[in-house]
Amino acid sequence: METADVIVVGAGPTGLFVAADLAEAGIDVVVLDRRGPEQSNLTRAFVVGPRTLEQFDARGIADELVATGSRLTSMRLYRRLWIDFAPIPTRFPYQLITPQYETEAVLRARAVGTGVRFAWRTEVTGLSQNDARVRVTTASGQQWQASYLVGADGSRSTVREAVGEPFPGRVAVRSMMLADVRFTDPPDAVLRSDANRSGFAFHVPFGDGWHRVIAWNRADDRPPGAPLDPDDVSTMLRRVFGTDYGLHETRWLSRFRADERQVARYRIGRVFLAGDAAHVHTPAGAQGMNTGLQDAANLGWRLAAGLRGHAGPEVLDGYQRERHPVAARVIRGSGALMRAALTASPRLRALRLARLGGLSGRWPAPKPVAAAVAGTGIRYPAPPGAHPAVGRRVPDLPLTGRGRLYAALRGGRFVLVRSGRQAGRHPWHGPVTEVVSALPLKADLLVRPDGHLAWADPA
């Protein structure tokens, strides 16, 4: 019987992120993955948003990842809806376009550096739990047990099925085309999307000569798994953009369906679900991987605090309370964007896009829409009786003699930002780093490791 404090099932971005957070906090964590350690050059996700980059910054790996990609300061969807990230108050007022394998490489290096153990080619086939432990069985007959388990094993999660948690929802789009291609005459735009009566198409460069194309042909409803020919992709590019940019090489061609699904419970006893194991949605808005990574940022410090005895059950239960509504909003928002693209009528499509952002005839999206796509607009509900700002994202404040807040968060500790006077008695029982704000504040602030406000003392 192999043991650990926490078992993480799945070595994708979400699993790697939460595992490294736990290991950095001194927790013994093992990642089980049915794949081998070889990294693929194929990728599903390609956008890392501002709020996710802030989470990376709080772990000292943002600049390394930013160096791998291209910055997209605004996004124009279907010619009509323009989302501008530049006004967002953050070090990262842009969407970073970089292949998922670059994100995974940075996260894996961090996980290895923090002491995460890996069990590659280890497929989980069974799971049981009691009031004290979780036990898993693998395809080879090996058994592992731990205090907690995180299921980050994707939309077809074995962990989710093992705990009997339903995955309700619906199929949003039955047959979408995905291709990684090379163009003879590549476009200048970092990202381009459009839709018309024929369907819709989207393309984005990876920065290494390859481009991701996602497309949908209204007249071709073949199911996932049906053959996809390069000519099918070229046809949709020409119909939507008027050119296929000289598409001449492919390395990945597939059809997939886009589902909208979410589990009711993110915590089932000592088992937690995160990322695609807990929620999936359409690719519109490119928020899938980002939502999973922010699940991980929310969950890691909670598990560490529980294992170290710094927090009670209510802190672990807070993961469900805070993250479930966020994914529900992402599902609604991405679904609305996708349904606008699927609309055959240009007038109705324009109307749906206008209503989507509450634009009242203004095509530039208002700041709340940009903040929602960027992830910086996430605000968790404050507990009864708490300061009304509790749960909000705290900006990267400059500190006196200590640089800035997000650098001070590195190491996974809570940070008490003092307003220049003696702070009041805060409620956190674990280790806290004390700093002084370089800006005038009306309150002392206790900031969680994920950058959200845990407590404020305005007295």
Side-chain angles (χ1 to χ4, degrees), residues 144-166:
W144 287 83
Q145 71 173 12
S147 296
Y148 297 104
L149 182 144
V150 178
D153 50 340
S155 60
R156 299 179 181 180
S157 172
T158 300
V159 171
R160 187 184 64 238
E161 293 181 1
V163 297
E165 184 66 19

Side-chain angles (χ1 to χ4, degrees), residues 177-241:
M177 294 179 273
L178 183 152
D180 282 356
V181 306
R182 287 187 183 273
F183 296 134
T184 301
D185 185 22
D188 294 331
V190 175
L191 180 151
R192 189 179 179 189
S193 67
D194 208 347
N196 56 28
R197 294 183 184 278
S198 296
F200 73 82
F202 165 99
H203 60 71
V204 63
F206 287 141
D208 58 358
W210 291 96
H211 293 248
R212 163 62 49 81
V213 175
I214 296 176
W216 174 71
N217 185 343
R218 189 180 306 280
D220 184 357
D221 196 31
R222 282 177 286 177
L228 178 62
D229 190 272
D231 287 342
D232 297 327
V233 180
S234 292
T235 295
M236 284 312 299
L237 289 173
R238 289 194 299 270
R239 288 181 179 177
V240 175
F241 299 123

Side-chain angles (χ1 to χ4, degrees), residues 17 50-66 90-92 396 404-411 449:
F17 195 109
R51 183 58 181 152
T52 304
L53 288 171
E54 289 183 339
Q55 299 288 2
F56 277 47
D57 190 27
R59 291 151 181 84
I61 55 175
D63 292 339
E64 180 182 356
L65 183 63
V66 168
T90 175
R91 281 189 70 214
F92 311 98
D396 195 12
R404 52 192 178 82
L405 174 60
Y406 277 63
L409 288 171
R410 294 173 187 174

Side-chain angles (χ1 to χ4, degrees), residues 5-215:
D5 292 331
V6 178
I7 296 169
V8 176
V9 181
T14 300
L16 292 169
F17 195 109
V18 72
D21 273 9
L22 289 164
E24 192 169 49
I27 304 302
D28 179 24
V29 57
V30 63
V31 176
L32 312 182
D33 196 289
R34 61 182 178 81
R35 303 169 299 173
E38 306 83 14
Q39 286 195 272
S40 170
N41 67 342
L42 302 180
T43 183
R44 290 195 177 277
F46 47 84
V47 175
V48 182
R51 183 58 181 152
T52 304
L53 288 171
E54 289 183 339
Q55 299 288 2
F56 277 47
D57 190 27
R59 291 151 181 84
I61 55 175
D63 292 339
E64 180 182 356
L65 183 63
V66 168
T68 69
S70 303
R71 304 179 186 190
L72 186 69
T73 57
S74 63
M75 180 186 297
R76 190 178 295 275
L77 301 175
Y78 316 130
R79 295 188 187 179
R80 298 285 188 176
L81 184 61
W82 176 58
I83 302 174
D84 186 11
F85 304 108
I88 294 175
T90 175
R91 281 189 70 214
F92 311 98
Y94 50 82
Q95 300 271 39
L96 180 69
I97 307 299
T98 190
Q100 181 175 322
Y101 54 76
E102 296 285 8
T103 303
E104 288 193 9
V106 171
L107 290 170
R108 188 185 295 194
R110 176 178 178 247
V112 171
T114 55
V116 173
R117 292 187 285 153
F118 289 88
W120 299 106
R121 297 187 176 87
T122 301
E123 182 178 0
V124 172
T125 56
L127 184 154
S128 63
Q129 61 174 314
N130 56 33
D131 291 342
R133 308 290 285 175
V134 180
R135 179 177 294 181
V136 299
T137 303
T138 69
S140 66
Q142 186 182 36
Q143 292 188 331
W144 287 83
Q145 71 173 12
S147 296
Y148 297 104
L149 182 144
V150 178
D153 50 340
S155 60
R156 299 179 181 180
S157 172
T158 300
V159 171
R160 187 184 64 238
E161 293 181 1
V163 297
E165 184 66 19
F167 203 29
R170 69 186 189 93
V171 177
V173 188
R174 182 170 180 264
S175 183
M176 297 185 70
M177 294 179 273
L178 183 152
D180 282 356
V181 306
R182 287 187 183 273
F183 296 134
T184 301
D185 185 22
D188 294 331
V190 175
L191 180 151
R192 189 179 179 189
S193 67
D194 208 347
N196 56 28
R197 294 183 184 278
S198 296
F200 73 82
F202 165 99
H203 60 71
V204 63
F206 287 141
D208 58 358
W210 291 96
H211 293 248
R212 163 62 49 81
V213 175
I214 296 176

